[in-house]
Structures are given as C-alpha cells and as structure tokens.
C-alpha cells in the first residue's frame, strides 16, 4: 500500500466534500440538532420548567433511574436533592448516549456514499482508475477521507455539547457534571467502530452504484440498528451502562473486521470499471 497515495486521495476527497453542498450540509445539520440543540434544550427545559411537571410525569422519568446498574454514577444520582438536578444529570449522562452514535454514523454514511459514486457523477473515476495506484491504496484513501472527518465532527460536537451543558447547568451543580467516565468507552471504542462500519458498507455500495443518491439510500440501512438502541435506551429496555457499551463496541469491532475482509475480497479495478460504464 502506498501511503503517499492514500493521503493524496483522502485530501482530494475532503476538498470535493467541502465543495459539495448536498454532502456537507447534512453533516452540519445533524450534529447541531442531535448533539447540541436537543441536549441543551432538554437541560434548559428541566432547569426552568421542572416545576411545571406533574408528579406523575416526574415519577415516570425517575423510574428509569431505578434500572441503572449499581455504581458511582447511580450513587451520585441518588445524592442529588433537587428534581431538576436529577433529571438533568440522568438525561445528560445516560439518555444522550445513542444520539452520539448517530452523529459519526450519519456523517460517515454521507461522506463515504460520495466516495466512488461521486467520482462517477463528476466524471473523474476513470482518470483515478488509470492512475498508477493499487486498489488497496485507493480503497484506504476513500476510507480515510470518510472516517477522519466523521470522527473529528463527532468529537468536536461532543466537546461543544459538554461545554454548553455545563455552562447551562452550572448554577445548579457548581461543577462539571458532564461527561462522566461511562462516556469513555462510547466515544473511544463504540463511536469509531460504528463510524468505520458505516464507511466500509457505504464505500462498498458506492463502488457498485452510479449516483450519490442511490449509494446514500442503500447505505442508509446501517442506521437502523442504532435507531433500535435509541428506542431501547429511551424506553429503559436497554441501559447503556459501561459494560454494555464496551460489549457493543467489541461486537461492532468484530463486525468491522468481517466487513473489511469481505470488501477487500470483492472490490477490484475491473469491477470499478464495469460500474463506471453502466
């Protein structure tokens, strides 16, 4: 594999992404809504509107906390006295977890769907295939161009979210309450594994279809498992504890290895030429 070629291809793709409105606009809207707007809105609603909740609604929300595993975070939650503190702490440190899986997943899906299909639409794939670059370097460059920006966007959004939530809730906690240690395996293991899974699937699909829209629609099916995690977390069926998050990350990483093996087996220069002329 040619490392210089990999970096050059990744840089070229990043420049193409920034010049394509239909690629980078969804990448900005989703993090702003899911990663900053929604969490900040919930914190402000609980801080200023908790007295408007009926006793039944408040009790229903706190029942979710009873499903948390025993540990330091559960002890902190029990030690909080105000209802607004409990709801904000619970929401920020547990309920938001699946949303920060959606951000790298969506960003990686959008970018990687444009990898080969975008080259076909712009009429540049044929020149790229004739270049003296082996298919492995070409594939690695496409993966790097999608994975790098997706993770940078995810971590950047997470940092801005932490800043916004701690500033908004400082009058209640007078300390940094978010994030807690349970976020480490999510952001450092599960999030990269999920982003890589989306990249591998969408790059493979993008190499076999003719347009960006077709690649994005077909590759978008990878979002469904994460949506199930969102529903499970919201209903309390699945609590994203540190152990559960770590196990999920290991399973997704194993799936990534299988996907990588399959993609490398089936992706070749002849197949890319055939998809170019369809």
């Amino acid at each position: 594999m040619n490392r210089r070629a990999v970096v050059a291809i990744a840089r070229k793709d990043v420049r193409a992404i920034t010049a394509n409105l239909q690629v980078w606009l969804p990448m900005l809207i989703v993090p702003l809504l899911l990663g900053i707007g929604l969490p900040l809105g919930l914190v402000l609603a609980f801080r200023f509107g908790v007295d408007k909740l009926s006793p039944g609604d408040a009790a229903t929300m706190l029942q979710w906390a009873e499903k948390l595993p025993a540990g330091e975070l559960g002890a902190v939650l029990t030690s909080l006295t105000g209802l607004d503190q409990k709801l904000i702490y619970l929401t920020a440190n547990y309920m938001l977890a699946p949303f920060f899986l959606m951000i790298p997943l969506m960003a990686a899906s959008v970018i990687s769907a444009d990898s080969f299909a975008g080259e076909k639409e712009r009429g540049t794939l044929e020149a790229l295939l004739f270049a003296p670059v082996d298919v492995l370097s070409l594939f690695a460059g496409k993966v790097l161009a999608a994975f790098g920006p997706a993770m940078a966007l995810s971590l950047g959004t997470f940092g801005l979210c932490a800043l916004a939530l701690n500033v908004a809730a400082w009058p209640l906690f007078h300390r940094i309450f978010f994030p807690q240690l349970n976020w480490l395996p999510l952001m450092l293991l599960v999030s990269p594994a999920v982003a890589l899974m989306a990249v591998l699937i969408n790059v493979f699909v993008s190499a076999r279809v003719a347009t960006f829209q077709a690649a994005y629609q077909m590759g978008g099916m990878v979002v469904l498992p994460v949506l199930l995690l969102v529903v499970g977390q919201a209903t309390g069926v699945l609590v994203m504890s540190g152990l559960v998050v770590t196990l999920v990350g290991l399973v997704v990483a194993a799936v990534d290895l299988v996907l990588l093996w399959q993609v490398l087996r089936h992706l070749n220069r002849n197949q890319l030429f055939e998809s170019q002329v369809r």
Side-chain angles (χ1 to χ4, degrees):
M1 184 169 61
N2 189 330
R3 293 184 180 181
R4 293 182 60 184
V6 170
V7 174
I9 292 170
R11 287 178 177 174
K12 179 187 71 67
D13 276 17
V14 170
R15 287 195 296 267
I17 291 165
T18 56
N20 192 337
L21 182 65
Q22 67 175 341
V23 174
W24 64 259
L25 186 59
M27 288 174 51
L28 293 181
I29 292 177
V30 172
L32 287 175
L33 292 178
L34 291 183
I36 300 175
L38 178 62
L40 183 59
L42 289 173
V43 168
L44 293 176
F46 289 141
R47 178 183 169 187
F48 296 106
V50 70
D51 54 340
K52 298 179 182 178
L53 288 174
S54 66
D57 291 337
T60 300
M61 293 180 183
L62 292 178
Q63 281 178 358
W64 195 93
E66 298 176 359
K67 301 178 181 180
L68 295 177
E72 182 179 350
L73 294 182
V76 172
L77 184 63
T78 304
S79 68
L80 298 175
T81 56
L83 178 60
D84 49 0
Q85 290 178 315
K86 290 185 177 182
L87 293 178
I88 290 174
Y89 187 90
L90 179 66
T91 300
N93 285 298
Y94 288 99
M95 300 293 289
L96 295 181
F99 293 108
F100 280 93
L101 293 181
M102 293 291 295
I103 293 172
L105 180 62
M106 298 281 290
S109 296
V110 171
I111 300 173
S112 54
D114 185 67
S115 56
F116 286 108
E119 298 276 8
K120 297 172 190 176
E121 289 184 331
R122 293 187 291 270
T124 56
L125 180 60
E126 185 174 353
L128 187 62
L129 293 176
F130 277 116
V133 179
D134 59 283
V135 175
L136 181 59
S137 298
L138 177 59
F139 172 74
K142 295 294 185 181
V143 170
L144 179 62
F147 181 78
M151 287 308 303
L153 185 63
S154 177
L155 295 175
T157 302
F158 185 70
L160 291 176
C161 176
L163 177 63
L165 297 193
N166 283 295
V167 169
W170 188 266
L172 295 178
F173 292 91
H174 300 288
R175 62 181 175 85
I176 296 176
F177 78 99
F178 171 82
Q180 298 295 319
L181 291 177
N182 63 314
W183 281 90
L184 285 178
L186 182 81
M187 298 305 298
L188 299 181
L189 174 61
V190 181
S191 183
V194 166
L196 183 58
M197 179 179 67
V199 170
L200 292 174
I201 292 175
N202 280 278
V203 167
F204 184 71
V205 170
S206 180
R208 292 176 173 269
V209 298
T211 65
F212 165 78
Q213 291 294 342
Y216 184 60
Q217 290 172 3
M218 293 179 64
M221 298 296 292
V222 74
V223 177
L224 294 179
V226 178
L227 290 178
L228 293 178
L229 290 178
V230 174
V231 174
Q233 180 86 335
T235 58
V237 174
L238 176 63
V239 177
M240 299 288 281
S241 64
L243 177 59
V244 171
V245 170
T246 302
L247 291 176
V248 170
L250 293 176
V251 170
V252 177
V255 172
D256 288 343
L257 292 176
V258 175
L259 285 174
L260 180 61
W261 176 62
Q262 289 293 328
V263 169
L264 293 178
R265 281 186 59 199
H266 294 91
L267 192 64
N268 57 73
R269 195 178 298 268
N270 291 335
Q271 187 273 324
L272 291 173
F273 269 117
E274 291 174 1
S275 66
Q276 169 76 358
V277 298
R278 286 174 186 171

